[in-house]
Amino acid sequence: MSHTKHNLLMNMCAAPYKATDYQQRMSNTNMDQEPAEHNAVIPTWPKFLLAVLTLLGVFKGRPLDACRPCYDCRHKRGDGGKSIDTDCDAESSSGENRNVENNHEADGSSRPGCTVCSSLLWNADGEIVRDCSKAVPGWLNSRVCGVLSNLLILTFLGCSTFTLGWYVVTYWGQISNINHLVSFFAFGDIIVGVALVCTLSNAVQYRRREPVRDWSWYDVLHQDYILRRLRCLAGRRFLLPKKVFLIFSLVWLLVVNTMQVVLLVNSLSRVNATLLTNDSCMPMGISLIEKSPPTKAFTILNTTMVIFVSIIGLAIYTLFWYNILVMRTALATELNLVIVFIKRNTGNLDLCRRRVFEVNHDFRILHVLLATLMPFIVASSVLGLTVHITWNYQIYSEKDKGIAMRNLLINIFIFTSKCFILILPLLAVGGINIDFIWQQFNYALMRQRNSLHEEFWERLLGFTAELQDERKAGHNLMLFLSLISLYLGHNLADQRLDYTTNHGLL
């Protein structure tokens, strides 16, 4: 294949998104060339990315389905070939699309000659790819790996549920410790919430085997959905995407977990030193019930559980948002490919509408999840940070300056952890939501308008605007919860301030 065919058709767009290595690769292209099909296959995905998807429970021992037909083809197959919309064959009868007709598989998954179905199979190099057998090693895409990864997440949920429950039992009804209770829950519910999303999504995939066909949020971890996204990033080679974000998040994660382990070891040492007294000393913000000091064995067991919850929970949290960032990047890449498709089929309104509808289908799966999850994370993080900043004002206003010094490492750890769980999703999403991706797609389409096909562009832009769903309700909920969080966190007075004796670390 020539160098021009190796790169895909993109310079015309003045790309709607930030310049990436992918777009720079595509800068010297010819818009008149057709995508090639010569038994292209997806290369093996990067090992670290495979590890991320495995730990999130994506692979379950089922074959990867790379050939999802467009909506019209699925509809016609279900109705015995009767169509109520546009005719695939009529749209693809032009000379520029005839050479694709004989290359489609006759397995009933897509109609031979459907241009939209062909464009759904484009990879980063402009090749039509159906064979995805090499993307994931067979031993990794197995039921055993799927069960083990989901078992890890379920174990984390069980341990975290015990931790949260013990925290409630310990602090319930104690006015002086309400800041510890609120601060810990503002951190814990975010970590548990993300793990719960992974668990529910994977549970649904075990229950239903059919491919993704609606806009359900739980399909964001469906292996076929992820396959379609990664195909847009993979060409002849597939390098690990977003390495800067990955290194940044892993280094920050290592720092947070190291501080956590040091604090827990120090806390356990204090427990051993004061076990014969009535002082309550527990790590990770879990003080013991003063009236009934626990045994040393229980203290060690609980400390071990807390370490597990912290390290595993934050690791799952980090990997989840890295996967979200990769999916967002792949969506932006596919929207660039859609612009290429529209440019080459300018004037054929029905065909271009159908292609836009297909990419909007995948866009909404991610959008629906983030439109609910991000307001929850932002509101909870604001509450946690407000409580912690209020606590800082109180300890540095005390006459006893030793309190601030004794709690310095704990103070840094809490602030670092709370910033971590807030900043990571904001970086992965690129803000509060991914609406900006669709808006930039609309702007890119506007730049292609010309007087020769004025009516075509007007109607197509109207269609893309109708598909956009900003979900203002989620933004309003986030604003409402954030205001409550600011008020509640600022008005927690007369609290126990020394974390070295009460150990409310979060």
Side-chain angles (χ1 to χ4, degrees):
M1 176 181 256
S2 66
H3 178 69
T4 38
K5 284 189 176 181
H6 173 68
N7 298 302
L8 186 68
L9 339 148
M10 219 47 197
N11 196 33
M12 46 63 88
C13 297
Y17 313 104
K18 272 187 181 179
T20 62
D21 293 338
Y22 168 74
Q23 290 167 343
Q24 292 171 2
R25 259 195 319 128
M26 298 163 63
S27 58
N28 298 320
T29 57
N30 185 348
M31 278 303 302
D32 296 328
Q33 291 180 349
E34 288 290 328
E37 179 175 14
H38 58 290
N39 297 322
V41 297
I42 290 183
T44 303
W45 294 342
K47 294 181 179 179
F48 189 87
L49 183 58
L50 288 171
V52 170
L53 298 177
T54 302
L55 290 174
L56 293 178
V58 172
F59 305 123
K60 302 175 179 63
R62 299 172 185 171
L64 299 175
D65 181 12
C67 302
R68 180 178 69 97
C70 69
Y71 174 82
D72 275 20
C73 289
R74 294 198 307 270
H75 181 76
K76 291 173 181 179
R77 183 178 58 181
D79 282 358
K82 295 181 180 180
S83 172
I84 60 174
D85 293 318
T86 58
D87 191 338
C88 289
D89 297 329
E91 290 167 349
S92 57
S93 59
S94 61
E96 64 180 10
N97 297 322
R98 288 183 184 275
N99 60 339
V100 184
E101 181 172 355
N102 294 327
N103 292 325
H104 281 267
E105 297 176 355
D107 59 356
S109 61
S110 61
R111 294 177 56 118
C114 178
T115 309
V116 176
C117 290
S118 298
S119 67
L120 294 176
L121 304 178
W122 289 0
N123 71 351
D125 291 333
E127 301 168 344
I128 297 176
V129 178
R130 292 190 175 87
D131 183 6
C132 297
S133 58
K134 295 183 179 180
V136 182
W139 64 269
L140 191 60
N141 185 17
S142 63
R143 293 184 179 181
V144 175
C145 288
V147 171
L148 290 178
S149 58
N150 282 282
L151 185 60
L152 177 65
I153 300 177
L154 288 174
T155 303
F156 162 73
L157 287 175
C159 293
S160 60
T161 301
F162 173 84
T163 303
L164 294 174
W166 179 255
Y167 207 97
V168 172
V169 171
T170 302
Y171 283 151
W172 188 259
Q174 300 181 24
I175 299 298
S176 61
N177 286 321
I178 192 174
N179 62 335
H180 304 309
L181 182 64
V182 172
S183 181
F184 181 77
F185 267 85
F187 174 86
D189 62 355
I190 295 176
I191 303 298
V192 173
V194 168
L196 189 61
V197 166
C198 297
T199 302
L200 293 177
S201 176
N202 291 323
V204 172
Q205 309 315 325
Y206 277 111
R207 179 177 176 273
R208 53 192 289 270
R209 296 174 176 269
E210 64 270 13
V212 180
R213 293 185 178 181
D214 51 16
W215 294 300
S216 302
W217 62 269
Y218 46 74
D219 287 324
V220 75
L221 289 180
H222 195 293
Q223 64 178 17
D224 296 341
Y225 177 81
I226 293 176
L227 173 63
R228 294 200 302 274
R229 303 281 63 73
L230 295 183
R231 178 165 45 194
C232 297
L233 294 178
R236 293 178 178 176
R237 301 177 58 198
F238 187 16
L239 301 178
L240 184 66
K242 298 298 178 182
K243 295 180 182 178
V244 175
F245 174 88
L246 183 60
I247 295 174
F248 169 77
S249 59
L250 290 180
V251 170
W252 197 350
L253 175 65
L254 179 62
V255 171
V256 171
N257 280 331
T258 300
M259 296 175 64
Q260 170 74 341
V261 171
V262 171
L263 288 171
L264 289 170
V265 171
N266 291 338
S267 180
L268 187 58
S269 299
R270 287 193 296 269
V271 170
N272 291 331
T274 60
L275 203 58
L276 298 179
T277 69
N278 290 329
D279 292 338
S280 58
C281 298
M282 282 298 287
M284 190 68 175
I286 306 179
S287 66
L288 306 180
I289 298 178
E290 297 181 2
K291 294 182 180 180
S292 303
T295 64
K296 182 177 180 180
F298 179 84
T299 301
I300 295 176
L301 175 63
N302 189 68
T303 301
T304 303
M305 184 176 297
V306 167
I307 293 175
F308 176 82
V309 168
S310 175
I311 295 178
I312 300 301
L314 287 176
I316 294 174
Y317 188 81
T318 303
L319 298 181
F320 175 83
W321 288 112
Y322 173 68
N323 178 63
I324 292 296
L325 175 61
V326 173
M327 295 299 101
R328 175 174 72 87
T329 304
L331 273 173
T333 302
E334 184 174 0
L335 286 170
N336 282 325
L337 296 175
V338 172
I339 295 175
V340 173
F341 178 88
I342 293 174
K343 182 67 177 179
R344 201 162 357 100
N345 293 278
T346 300
N348 194 331
L349 181 61
D350 291 335
L351 198 67
C352 293
R353 278 178 172 174
R354 287 172 48 209
R355 185 61 184 92
V356 171
F357 178 83
E358 293 298 327
V359 72
N360 182 261
H361 167 275
D362 287 351
F363 172 83
R364 285 200 177 195
I365 290 176
L366 184 59
H367 184 272
V368 168
L369 172 64
L370 297 178
T372 303
L373 190 58
M374 285 302 295
F376 166 73
I377 290 177
V378 171
S380 297
S381 299
V382 168
L383 175 60
L385 285 171
T386 304
V387 170
H388 184 61
I389 292 173
T390 302
W391 174 75
N392 270 269
Y393 270 95
Q394 292 174 347
I395 64 172
Y396 283 101
S397 299
E398 284 288 312
K399 295 180 180 179
D400 183 7
K401 301 301 181 182
I403 295 180
M405 292 304 299
R406 288 195 301 271
N407 290 271
L408 180 60
L409 183 58
I410 297 176
N411 193 355
I412 296 174
F413 165 70
I414 296 175
F415 183 75
T416 303
S417 301
K418 292 185 182 300
C419 289
F420 179 78
I421 62 173
L422 175 61
I423 294 177
L424 205 66
L426 290 177
L427 291 176
V429 176
I432 301 300
N433 54 51
I434 58 172
D435 286 338
F436 69 95
I437 297 180
W438 197 258
Q439 292 171 356
Q440 291 175 340
F441 173 64
N442 282 330
Y443 296 152
L445 287 180
M446 290 178 186
R447 289 196 293 269
Q448 309 307 315
R449 295 184 64 166
N450 55 69
S451 57
L452 184 62
H453 298 92
E454 184 66 32
E455 183 181 358
F456 164 81
W457 288 110
E458 188 72 28
R459 297 177 66 180
L460 182 62
L461 288 170
F463 179 71
T464 59
E466 290 175 2
L467 291 176
Q468 184 171 353
D469 181 12
E470 298 182 357
R471 298 182 69 88
K472 295 294 186 181
H475 299 170
N476 295 335
L477 176 63
M478 180 188 66
L479 179 61
F480 176 71
L481 293 178
S482 299
L483 291 175
I484 293 179
S485 300
L486 288 171
Y487 175 81
L488 178 62
H490 181 68
N491 287 276
L492 293 176
D494 300 326
Q495 298 294 301
R496 188 177 296 180
L497 301 179
D498 196 347
Y499 280 12
T500 60
T501 59
N502 207 36
H503 302 286
L505 298 187
L506 287 170

